[in-house]
């Protein structure tokens, strides 16, 4: 389950005992407004200047939620600089463009902060500092000198989904290798874990025409073509042979793809869908890491979320159809994941509870 704002505050108190009032104000401001006030900042130029200052060792945290759907993505010198800097710049400005927030929301966060037991800085009480901050119009705060010296914060504030998915985005921005015609990435995971969202985000951050997306749902078998025991066969409701022939073999050659997607409404194949060649092809959906398909991929991603968060998301997404997921689709998915140890076959595993 995603964390409450009070839990996030408690974690920051424990992680950064030398925080000063202005560091808490910065946390509050970031959680309400994101990086909206920095939308016009030349992020790429600043990152280039900051990169040599990064410590040789990676930060203990990669992603740190601050609340409000935002997280701090900590910079890592091991990231390929030529790819990571433009990617972080793009994600930062997308975040700034989507950021909203209000003074009312900020004051509600201040009330939450004051309700959480916290050590008071010795030089100035927190409540007095916040009162003075209010008089100044809640100007964006900077980290204190004590905080910077103790914790060396090198990060960029992003939407939590962008920050959490950053390793996947970075990997996909690196593919294909120069000697390849095309690369294929599979995104598997538990239902409701964000597979479709990640695929769409990859296509959004890459240059136009660089990525094409295929959905596993397009390769459902019509009910009349499924085996009598299909529920005992992982992916028994999918036409993996057609997927291999019409998509994976064609994608590996960098050629145009043409296939007929399955229509759940009509329980039959629809009109042909034609996709032009692209350097990157993404296959997203449950069962995409089936052993019959894995040898075709250049990179494999698995997304997961806890049962409580999965239930919350599916109830919101599926409405009256949710009981069918509990009765049929989730058990079938878990059977597949366990039988083939799917999580162990992925190159990258991402837990998405705190990303949405």
């Amino acid at each position: 389950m995603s964390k409450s704002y009070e839990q996030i505050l408690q974690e920051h108190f424990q992680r950064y005992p030398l925080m000063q009032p202005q560091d808490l104000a910065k946390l509050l401001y970031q959680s309400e407004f994101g990086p909206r006030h920095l939308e016009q900042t030349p992020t790429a130029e600043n990152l280039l200047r900051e990169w040599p200052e990064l410590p040789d060792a990676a930060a203990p945290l990669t992603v740190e939620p601050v609340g409000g759907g935002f997280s701090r993505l900590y910079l890592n010198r091991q990231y390929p600089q030529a790819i990571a800097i433009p990617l972080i710049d793009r994600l930062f400005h997308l975040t700034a463009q989507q950021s909203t927030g209000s003074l009312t929301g900020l004051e509600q966060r201040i009330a939450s902060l004051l309700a959480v037991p916290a050590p008071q800085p010795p030089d100035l009480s927190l409540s007095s500092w916040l009162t003075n901050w209010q008089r100044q119009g809640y100007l964006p705060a900077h980290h204190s000198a004590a905080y910077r010296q103790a914790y060396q914060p090198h990060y960029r504030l992003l939407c939590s989904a962008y920050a959490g998915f950053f390793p996947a985005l970075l990997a996909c921005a690196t593919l294909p290798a120069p000697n390849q015609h095309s690369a294929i990435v599979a995104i598997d995971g538990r239902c409701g874990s964000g597979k479709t969202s990640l695929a769409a985000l990859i296509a959004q951050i890459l240059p136009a025409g660089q990525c094409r997306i295929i959905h596993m749902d397009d390769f459902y078998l019509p009910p009349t073509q499924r085996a009598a025991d299909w529920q005992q066969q992982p992916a028994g409701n999918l036409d993996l042979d057609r997927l291999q022939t019409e998509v994976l073999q064609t994608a590996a050659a960098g050629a145009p793809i043409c296939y007929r997607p399955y229509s759940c409404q009509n329980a039959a194949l629809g009109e042909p869908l034609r996709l032009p060649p692209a350097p990157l092809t993404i296959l997203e959906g449950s069962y995409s890491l089936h052993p019959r398909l894995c040898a075709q991929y250049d990179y494999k991603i698995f997304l997961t979320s806890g049962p409580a968060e999965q239930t919350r998301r599916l109830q919101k997404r599926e409405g009256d159809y949710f009981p069918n997921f509990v009765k049929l689709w989730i058990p079938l998915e878990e059977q597949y994941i366990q039988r083939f140890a799917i999580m162990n076959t992925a190159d990258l595993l991402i837990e998405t509870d705190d990303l949405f």
Side-chain angles (χ1 to χ4, degrees), residues 68-81:
F70 301 105
S71 291
R72 295 168 176 174
L73 174 72
Y74 283 87
L75 307 179
N76 187 335
R77 184 178 280 188
Q78 305 307 313
Y79 291 150
Q81 181 177 337

Side-chain angles (χ1 to χ4, degrees), residues 94-140:
L94 283 174
T95 300
Q97 292 165 15
Q98 298 169 31
S99 301
T100 55
S102 67
L103 291 179
T104 299
L106 179 61
E107 290 179 340
Q108 289 173 348
R109 295 186 183 280
I110 292 173
S112 296
L113 171 65
L114 295 174
V116 173
Q120 296 294 314
D123 56 339
L124 184 64
S125 73
L126 178 59
S127 58
S128 297
W129 197 98
L130 292 173
T131 299
N132 189 50
W133 189 37
Q134 181 186 35
R135 292 194 187 109
Q136 296 173 352
Y138 296 123
L139 296 175

Side-chain angles (χ1 to χ4, degrees), residues 200-269:
L201 180 57
I202 294 169
Q204 181 183 10
I205 59 100
L206 292 178
Q210 293 292 299
C211 176
R212 53 189 175 184
I213 299 173
I214 312 293
H215 306 285
M216 288 295 292
D217 292 357
D218 289 345
F219 290 87
Y220 276 1
L221 277 167
T224 56
Q225 296 181 25
R226 298 176 192 175
D229 63 344
W230 71 270
Q231 294 187 21
Q232 281 68 57
Q233 302 177 28
N237 60 322
L238 294 166
D239 192 339
L240 299 185
D241 291 333
R242 188 167 73 91
L243 174 62
Q244 284 183 311
T245 301
E246 297 183 1
V247 172
L248 297 182
Q249 294 176 10
T250 306
I257 291 174
C258 181
Y259 69 93
R260 297 175 63 193
Y262 179 78
S263 167
C264 291
Q265 183 176 3
N266 299 322
L269 300 184

Side-chain angles (χ1 to χ4, degrees), residues 191-192 220 310 314-315 317-333:
C191 53
Y220 276 1
Q310 182 185 51
L314 291 177
Q315 285 177 332
R317 189 185 80 185
E318 301 297 334
D320 294 340
Y321 293 98
F322 172 70
N324 204 34
F325 277 79
V326 176
K327 179 181 178 181
L328 178 62
W329 298 116
I330 293 177
L332 289 178
E333 205 171 69

Side-chain angles (χ1 to χ4, degrees), residues 174-198:
T174 307
L175 292 170
N179 60 343
Q180 289 179 296
H181 292 294
S182 182
I184 306 175
V185 172
I187 305 175
D188 202 336
R190 290 183 163 89
C191 53
S193 59
K195 301 180 293 295
T196 304
S197 296
L198 174 55

